Amino acid sequence: MLFPKPSGFKFYRDSFRYIAVMGMVALLGFIASFINFVRLGLAWHLIIIRALDLITIVVPPALPATLTIGTNFALSRLKKQNIFCISPQKVNVGGKLDIVCFDKTGTLTEDGLDVLGARIVTRDKRFSELLSETSDGFLRPSPSANSEYDIEKQSKIMYAMATCHSLRVVDDELLGDPLDVKMFQFTNWTFEEGGHHVSDQTSPKYDTIAPSVAKPPQRQTGDELDNPLELGVLRSFEFVSNLRRASVVVRRFGDNGASFFVKGAPESIKDICIPGTLPSDYEDLLNYYTHKGYRVIACASKYERKLSWMKVQKMSRTEAESNLEFLGFIVFENKLKPSTAGVISELNEAGIRNVMCTGDNILTAISVARECNMLGRDEPCFIPHFIEAPGISSKTSLIWECVDNPDLQLDPRTLLPINTAETDLSIPGNTLVEREYSVAVTGDAFRWLIDFGNEDVLNKVLVCGKVFARMSPDEKHELVEKLQSIDYCCGFCGDGANDCGALKAADPLVRNLLCSDGD
């Protein structure tokens, strides 16, 4: 962002071309006038003054001043709207804006997410009721899920929420990802950040490393006072966008073993869990919450006995995040900012296209897009699914199905509606007219279209796509560049470090105007 790409605004190029052409005309006039004045026998100083007058007449010196004054008036009008621009010479780009890509969390929605509750896996491999209340740092069990097995699972998911994060303590305040902050505050635990502590001994071999420690609210029972519950973080694997998960290795005070806690996108966690620990209604419950616009985080864990600190440090991430037991879902409620719907409607009225580009679940993104009028309430939205050819293990093609009615599909070659044999065309809404629908794309499908798909299909996705979900920072960056490659003047509005690449690629002035203070 400190070194943005140079702006190629056509207005300035044409202005310099105009000045160059008029300069050539003035030069020819200067030569002709000079020769004519010499023939007339005028004084040399008068000849030079009269010839130079022609240059100032042909090339108006007030032109640059006029452009500067106009730019300053535009800046003053923007300032009245609390919009500040650090690149005044690019202010004219705002008038060319065709499309704006919005991040979701923290930009369209509130900065923080409220924890709605947790759904835990019960003994019969079903999800419990939504547990949204805590007592003494633990979930308050429901009457239908209060067995010893259920309480153990509820404790483990609280351990994951209290330890599996990237928070740091600065001036006695927890700072970090807003989701991690809200999740930890929900537990009511305390967190003491560890670090490297030098011993009083002079030899370096006596140096020690104190782990970060999470503690629940103190209870007054004798057992807890004799054997306090303290969880020390031996090692943490930070969140990686392509894996879409983070994990920690934790040891309880007085225990020789270690517990592994992993949280992340439900699709990612499902792949690394033991299949027998997954409830049968895993996808159904996930779709239920994402359709309603909630953000869902999955948690899993495992335990290994007699695991030394040195072995933990040498352990690979793949080894730590494998053969896990699924614990449950943490459900977050992310409310729209009060001004979001009005801003989107105003941009729509101005003929500026709005696109959502987020790392969240695609169904959650579609729900939020409909809530803020980026998508029409009844507008059909199609999402891609990979299909595999017989005998080929790699993903080979895409099919496009309507989110609300899988019987409605798009032709994968033209992205036009097709009528399948199962579609009853007599039902209103089962017939689509061109341009009365939109598409939503995941990061995996977007990458596949770029690497293996047809260029015409990719361009159509760029033109009619309104939601781009599960996008990594690099894919956000590439989306902006692809939109610019088909002659869109593209702005990007985001508030996180994962948006920096897209912000840098976006047209500079639009980026500076639309980004929040955190950018």
Side-chain angles (χ1 to χ4, degrees):
M1 293 180 64
L2 294 176
F3 305 99
K5 64 178 183 180
S7 174
F9 191 39
K10 187 178 179 181
F11 175 78
Y12 291 111
R13 295 198 304 267
D14 292 344
S15 297
F16 285 116
R17 289 172 183 169
Y18 167 78
I19 294 175
V21 171
M22 297 306 295
M24 294 176 63
V25 173
L27 180 63
L28 294 175
F30 174 84
I31 296 172
S33 299
F34 185 85
I35 296 173
N36 188 41
F37 289 151
V38 169
R39 288 179 179 176
L40 293 176
L42 298 179
W44 283 103
H45 70 279
L46 186 61
I47 293 174
I48 295 175
I49 292 174
R50 294 305 180 191
L52 291 176
D53 281 346
L54 182 62
I55 295 178
T56 59
I57 294 171
V58 175
V59 183
L63 180 60
T66 304
L67 294 176
T68 303
I69 293 172
T71 300
N72 288 334
F73 273 117
L75 291 175
S76 64
R77 290 195 299 269
L78 291 173
K79 190 174 181 179
K80 292 178 181 178
Q81 302 294 326
N82 293 323
I83 299 174
F84 300 91
C85 178
I86 63 173
S87 184
Q89 69 272 20
K90 309 281 193 315
V91 71
N92 293 289
V93 179
K96 289 186 58 185
L97 187 62
D98 297 313
I99 183 171
V100 181
C101 299
F102 289 93
D103 181 38
K104 184 181 76 68
T105 306
T107 303
L108 297 174
T109 60
E110 297 286 355
D111 292 331
L113 296 90
D114 297 324
V115 179
L116 188 67
R119 300 290 296 265
I120 314 300
V121 179
T122 61
R123 180 182 292 274
D124 57 355
K125 294 297 180 289
R126 303 284 296 179
F127 281 103
S128 68
E129 300 174 3
L130 184 67
L131 306 178
S132 56
E133 297 183 0
T134 61
S135 176
D136 295 327
F138 291 89
L139 289 170
R140 186 172 296 173
S142 64
S144 60
N146 57 2
S147 66
E148 183 177 348
Y149 177 89
D150 299 332
I151 293 177
E152 181 185 0
K153 282 292 186 74
Q154 294 166 16
S155 299
K156 287 182 178 180
I157 202 167
M158 290 298 283
Y159 296 162
M161 296 171 72
T163 58
C164 191
H165 53 71
S166 58
L167 300 180
R168 295 293 180 264
V169 180
V170 179
D171 296 332
D172 297 327
E173 183 182 0
L174 283 175
L175 300 178
D177 186 271
L179 183 144
D180 287 341
V181 173
K182 286 289 186 179
M183 183 180 65
F184 187 81
Q185 290 175 347
F186 177 78
T187 65
N188 293 320
W189 285 42
T190 58
F191 184 73
E192 298 176 2
E193 187 176 1
H196 187 75
H197 300 279
V198 180
S199 172
D200 293 336
Q201 303 290 339
T202 57
S203 175
K205 70 179 182 179
Y206 293 105
D207 292 359
T208 59
I209 298 177
S212 300
V213 177
K215 302 177 183 178
Q218 292 185 355
R219 304 193 219 183
Q220 301 300 322
T221 60
D223 293 340
E224 290 293 337
L225 294 176
D226 295 336
N227 186 21
L229 175 58
E230 296 182 0
L231 301 179
V233 181
L234 303 181
R235 191 179 180 188
S236 62
F237 296 94
E238 299 290 341
F239 177 84
V240 179
S241 57
N242 61 330
L243 295 178
R244 302 201 296 270
R245 60 178 180 262
S247 59
V248 290
V249 185
V250 174
R251 174 169 290 158
R252 181 172 178 173
F253 178 76
D255 188 4
N256 292 327
S259 298
F260 298 75
F261 296 108
V262 186
K263 72 174 177 67
E267 304 93 325
S268 174
I269 299 298
K270 183 179 180 181
D271 294 336
I272 58 177
C273 284
I274 301 172
T277 65
L278 297 171
S280 58
D281 55 345
Y282 185 97
E283 294 292 344
D284 294 338
L285 188 67
L286 176 61
N287 291 336
Y288 170 79
Y289 280 110
T290 53
H291 265 101
K292 291 183 174 292
Y294 294 104
R295 185 168 185 177
V296 180
I297 299 296
C299 294
S301 71
K302 69 177 178 179
Y303 178 79
E304 289 191 16
R305 300 179 181 275
K306 296 182 179 181
L307 192 63
S308 67
W309 181 88
M310 185 60 67
K311 186 175 181 181
V312 170
Q313 304 308 313
K314 294 181 178 180
M315 182 177 293
S316 67
R317 181 165 192 159
T318 303
E319 186 179 358
E321 298 176 350
S322 61
N323 298 320
L324 299 168
E325 179 185 9
F326 179 68
L327 297 178
F329 289 146
I330 306 171
V331 184
F332 294 85
E333 184 180 18
N334 201 192
K335 299 177 182 178
L336 280 181
K337 289 182 178 179
S339 59
T340 296
V343 170
I344 297 299
S345 298
E346 190 172 348
L347 291 173
N348 287 332
E349 291 175 359
I352 297 174
R353 180 179 159 207
N354 302 295
V355 169
M356 183 186 298
C357 184
T358 177
D360 210 341
N361 181 280
I362 189 169
L363 298 179
T364 300
I366 291 173
S367 176
V368 173
R370 283 178 171 162
E371 188 177 354
C372 69
N373 300 324
M374 195 174 286
L375 278 175
R377 293 285 180 178
D378 301 323
E379 179 181 355
C381 184
F382 293 82
I383 60 176
H385 299 284
F386 286 105
I387 58 173
E388 299 177 358
I392 301 177
S393 59
S394 61
K395 300 169 182 175
T396 56
S397 60
L398 294 175
I399 60 171
W400 299 80
E401 294 182 349
C402 181
V403 173
D404 303 311
N405 184 2
D407 289 338
L408 297 178
Q409 296 184 1
L410 298 180
D411 188 324
R413 295 181 299 274
T414 62
L415 289 191
L416 295 176
I418 59 175
N419 297 320
T420 61
E422 296 80 8
T423 304
D424 187 356
L425 300 181
S426 64
I427 299 177
N430 275 10
T431 58
L432 293 176
V433 182
E434 187 175 356
R435 306 190 70 82
E436 289 185 354
Y437 60 92
S438 59
V439 299
V441 185
T442 60
D444 291 342
F446 181 69
R447 173 56 49 198
W448 187 91
L449 286 169
I450 293 175
D451 294 339
F452 308 106
N454 184 285
E455 185 176 356
D456 292 337
V457 174
L458 174 61
N459 290 338
K460 289 179 181 178
V461 168
L462 295 173
V463 170
C464 61
K466 291 188 178 180
V467 174
F468 293 82
R470 291 294 186 215
M471 299 284 281
S472 68
D474 290 340
E475 288 165 347
K476 290 182 179 182
H477 183 176
E478 196 160 3
L479 172 63
V480 172
E481 291 186 336
K482 290 294 183 182
L483 288 169
Q484 292 170 332
S485 69
I486 56 174
D487 294 331
Y488 275 112
C489 181
C490 180
F492 194 96
C493 185
D495 71 331
N498 60 338
D499 301 322
C500 286
L503 290 168
K504 180 179 179 180
D507 292 288
L509 175 75
V510 176
R511 180 193 69 216
N512 293 333
L513 286 176
L514 293 177
C515 293
S516 61
D517 295 339
D519 296 322

